[in-house]
């Protein structure tokens, strides 16, 4: 039940060689068991952490904990099945995160997976080139129940052959919500029937159009797509006043902010 802040860190080049299924890099477990306590990662970079060992099932494991990842870069990491697993009554916020080229291993079940009564709120975040899976999975509900993913003011890069941006192998009462986000893979998703989806017309299903660094090209539909404040049900989401690189949002001043982790300098895309 501690409130712990990890700030201004670079965590890199870790390559575990033995099985550690509960999280080969981070295991965040039972910190909010009595409804108290939180873990916050602020201005942190996770770089080049992976192993080719097939028993390294996940890079980060979160269990019964409330965690905030704010202004975090995940780059060149990998695991056999999923990058981050959120499990058993956990609430995790990703704010101004960029997931870039996390394809050092297969990531078969995507980048963020949920299992049993857990929530991932993803705000102002970019996902680009993150899986060797032929289906391009990004988000997975792993067969448990009562899990929610809410994608707000964010960008998911499309990839050739992408058919399962959201993967749902089983479970019940799981939901995916998107607002003011670029989600081209959603149009080809294969798991609608068993998923409670709330994807409205504020989203774009056009190609994200990202640079090799996964920032916005001048013709990206993410430019001007975001809103400073978004409400979903009774939950209010505020986009930070700066992007992951520290640039002001919106840019230019007076325009609508851009979806994703990085602002472009244009008010309207080409």
């Amino acid at each position: 039940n501690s409130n712990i802040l990890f700030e201004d860190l670079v965590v890199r080049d870790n390559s575990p060689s033995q099985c550690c299924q509960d999280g080969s890099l981070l295991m965040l477990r039972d910190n909010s068991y009595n409804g108290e306590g939180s873990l916050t990662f602020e201005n942190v970079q996770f770089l080049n952490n992976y192993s080719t060992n097939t028993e390294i099932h996940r890079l980060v494991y979160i269990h019964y904990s409330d965690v905030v990842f704010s202004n975090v870069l995940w780059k060149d990491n990998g695991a056999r099945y999923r990058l981050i697993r959120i499990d058993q009554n956990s609430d995790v916020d990703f704010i101004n995160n960029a997931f870039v080229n996390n394809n050092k291993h297969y990531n078969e079940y995507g980048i963020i997976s949920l299992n049993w009564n857990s929530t991932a709120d993803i705000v102002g975040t970019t996902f680009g080139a993150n899986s060797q899976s032929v289906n391009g999975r990004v988000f997975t509900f792993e067969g448990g129940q009562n899990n929610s993913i809410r994608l707000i003011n964010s960008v998911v890069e499309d990839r050739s052959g992408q058919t399962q941006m959201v993967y749902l192998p089983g479970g019940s009462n799981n939901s995916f919500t998107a607002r003011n986000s670029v989600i081209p893979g959603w149009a080809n998703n294969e798991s609608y029937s068993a998923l409670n989806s709330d994807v409205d017309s504020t989203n774009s299903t056009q190609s994200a159009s990202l640079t090799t660094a996964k920032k916005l090209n001048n013709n990206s539909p993410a430019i001007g797509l975001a809103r400073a404040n978004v409400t979903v049900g009774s939950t209010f989401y505020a986009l930070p006043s700066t992007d992951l690189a520290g640039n002001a949002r919106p840019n230019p001043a007076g325009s609508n902010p851009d979806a994703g982790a990085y602002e472009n300098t244009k008010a309207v895309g080409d």
Side-chain angles (χ1 to χ4, degrees):
N1 297 319
S2 301
N3 296 308
I4 303 173
L5 172 64
F6 300 88
E7 187 173 20
D8 300 334
L9 302 175
V10 176
V11 182
R12 67 177 305 150
D13 302 328
N14 295 284
S15 183
S17 60
Q18 295 181 354
C19 175
C20 183
Q21 295 189 13
D22 278 345
S24 60
L25 184 67
L26 293 176
M27 182 170 63
L28 311 175
R29 193 177 181 100
D30 299 339
N31 193 55
S32 305
Y33 193 80
N34 295 319
E36 300 177 1
S38 65
L39 301 167
T40 300
F41 293 80
E42 173 68 41
N43 192 29
V44 176
Q45 297 182 12
F46 295 102
L47 308 175
N48 197 45
N49 301 289
Y50 76 100
S51 173
T52 57
N53 187 336
T54 59
E55 293 300 319
I56 304 302
H57 288 198
R58 43 197 168 251
L59 198 70
V60 176
Y61 181 59
I62 301 171
H63 179 278
Y64 233 126
S65 294
D66 294 343
V67 185
V68 176
F69 294 100
S70 178
N71 295 302
V72 175
L73 174 64
W74 309 79
K75 187 174 186 292
D76 298 328
N77 304 291
R80 175 63 180 89
Y81 288 112
R82 75 283 286 167
L83 201 70
I84 301 170
R85 182 173 181 176
I86 303 169
D87 197 9
Q88 294 288 348
N89 302 287
S90 294
D91 292 313
V92 182
D93 296 339
F94 299 90
I95 305 167
N96 271 2
N97 281 221
F99 292 84
V100 177
N101 299 331
N102 293 290
N103 53 17
K104 287 294 187 74
H105 206 358
Y106 197 59
N107 296 335
E108 183 176 356
Y109 289 143
I111 301 305
I112 297 175
S113 70
L114 275 70
N115 189 51
W116 291 106
N117 304 313
S118 294
T119 299
D121 287 318
I122 303 166
V123 180
T125 291
T126 296
F127 297 85
N130 283 307
S131 178
Q132 293 183 27
S133 167
V134 295
N135 295 310
R137 295 166 180 163
V138 181
F139 310 112
T140 298
F141 298 91
E142 289 200 35
Q145 61 186 11
N146 301 324
N147 299 293
S148 297
I149 293 174
R150 304 183 189 112
L151 189 71
I152 312 295
N153 291 333
S154 294
V155 173
V156 179
E157 185 181 36
D158 54 320
R159 54 167 290 170
S160 177
Q162 184 178 54
T163 60
Q164 291 180 332
M165 187 187 80
V166 180
Y167 179 49
L168 180 66
S172 62
N173 198 33
N174 295 303
S175 65
F176 178 85
T177 300
R179 293 288 187 276
N180 302 94
S181 296
V182 179
I183 46 172
W186 181 256
N188 298 319
N189 195 72
E190 296 179 351
S191 304
Y192 283 157
S193 60
L195 183 67
N196 299 320
S197 61
D198 182 4
V199 179
D200 67 11
S201 60
T202 65
N203 301 287
S204 171
T205 56
Q206 300 178 57
S207 172
S209 187
L210 302 182
T211 68
T212 55
K214 306 312 172 188
K215 298 182 179 181
L216 305 179
N217 282 313
N218 288 340
N219 65 346
S220 174
I223 296 174
L225 181 65
R227 295 296 181 266
N229 301 308
V230 175
T231 300
V232 178
S234 60
T235 304
F236 176 80
Y237 298 93
L239 192 64
S241 59
T242 57
D243 69 3
L244 180 56
N247 300 311
R249 291 187 190 266
N251 186 11
S255 64
N256 287 321
D258 303 338
Y262 300 105
E263 281 282 307
N264 188 281
T265 56
K266 287 181 170 288
V268 179
D270 294 341

